[in-house]
Amino acid sequence: MAFLREVLMKIRRKGANEMSVEETLAAYRLLLHVRKDLVESFYNIAERRLREVYDDFSMTMLKLDKTIQTLRRILENEAKISIDESKTFSIDENIQKLSLETSLAFRSLLQNAKLLKEFSQSMPHQYLRAILRGVDDAIDKVIKILGGF
């Protein structure tokens, strides 16, 4: 958790100065989309009563939520943008607004989240834990890129 705290502080400090507002907003929207997929996955896992997966999942969600919260603060405070979360957006349009390295990290995160959502209904917990590790690694990579590491 110390790593996460350090990176999020760096993102807050650099704010909209190093990342354009458009890039920050695109990253924020993509992370919200990932969060929706992960919440659906969590409900499927909860229905199946797979307690082995809960702890890993809760840590992954905590990291994702903290990152989303940090980006929201940057957009609302520093860039003075009011965020309408109900607005529809195209994933591809938002990915195109990001740099190559960032867009690749987001594509990986989106793919892993979709896999988890799809397989959370039927796969054994061992496979779900492996997919969840992939989601967690992708979130870490996105956080590192956003933090400039």
Side-chain angles (χ1 to χ4, degrees):
M1 276 319 239
F3 162 75
L4 179 64
R5 189 176 307 122
E6 179 183 325
V7 173
L8 292 178
M9 289 300 291
K10 185 171 183 180
I11 292 171
R12 282 187 200 119
R13 279 192 305 268
K14 84 176 186 179
N17 297 336
E18 292 182 29
M19 285 178 59
S20 73
V21 174
E22 194 173 281
E23 285 180 317
T24 306
L25 186 59
Y28 175 78
R29 287 179 174 161
L30 290 169
L31 289 174
L32 281 180
H33 180 77
V34 168
R35 189 181 192 290
K36 287 178 188 175
D37 284 348
L38 292 181
V39 167
E40 287 181 38
S41 301
F42 181 76
Y43 285 132
N44 291 335
I45 290 168
E47 283 179 15
R48 294 180 55 207
R49 299 177 193 252
L50 297 175
R51 296 189 187 269
E52 308 80 29
V53 184
Y54 285 171
D55 290 339
D56 296 339
F57 205 101
S58 63
M59 290 303 294
T60 299
M61 287 301 291
L62 179 66
K63 276 196 262 187
L64 183 65
D65 286 344
K66 290 285 188 185
T67 306
I68 290 171
Q69 183 181 45
T70 300
L71 292 178
R72 180 183 297 137
R73 284 185 187 148
I74 289 169
L75 288 168
E76 289 178 347
N77 294 339
E78 296 180 20
K80 306 289 188 246
I81 289 182
S82 175
I83 299 167
D84 182 13
E85 294 177 10
S86 63
K87 211 180 220 185
T88 59
F89 61 91
S90 167
I91 292 173
D92 289 333
E93 285 176 16
N94 282 294
I95 285 180
Q96 290 174 358
K97 294 176 184 176
L98 302 170
S99 68
L100 179 61
E101 184 183 14
T102 308
S103 65
L104 289 174
F106 269 100
R107 285 184 194 278
S108 175
L109 177 57
L110 288 163
Q111 183 64 33
N112 283 315
K114 283 182 184 180
L115 278 173
L116 185 62
K117 180 180 171 183
E118 183 178 330
F119 292 139
S120 64
Q121 298 173 357
S122 60
M123 295 298 275
H125 69 82
Q126 299 92 336
Y127 295 112
L128 292 177
R129 289 182 94 174
I131 295 170
L132 187 57
R133 277 193 296 276
V135 169
D136 196 51
D137 291 345
I139 289 172
D140 285 343
K141 186 169 184 169
V142 165
I143 290 170
K144 285 179 185 176
I145 290 171
L146 292 176
F149 282 93

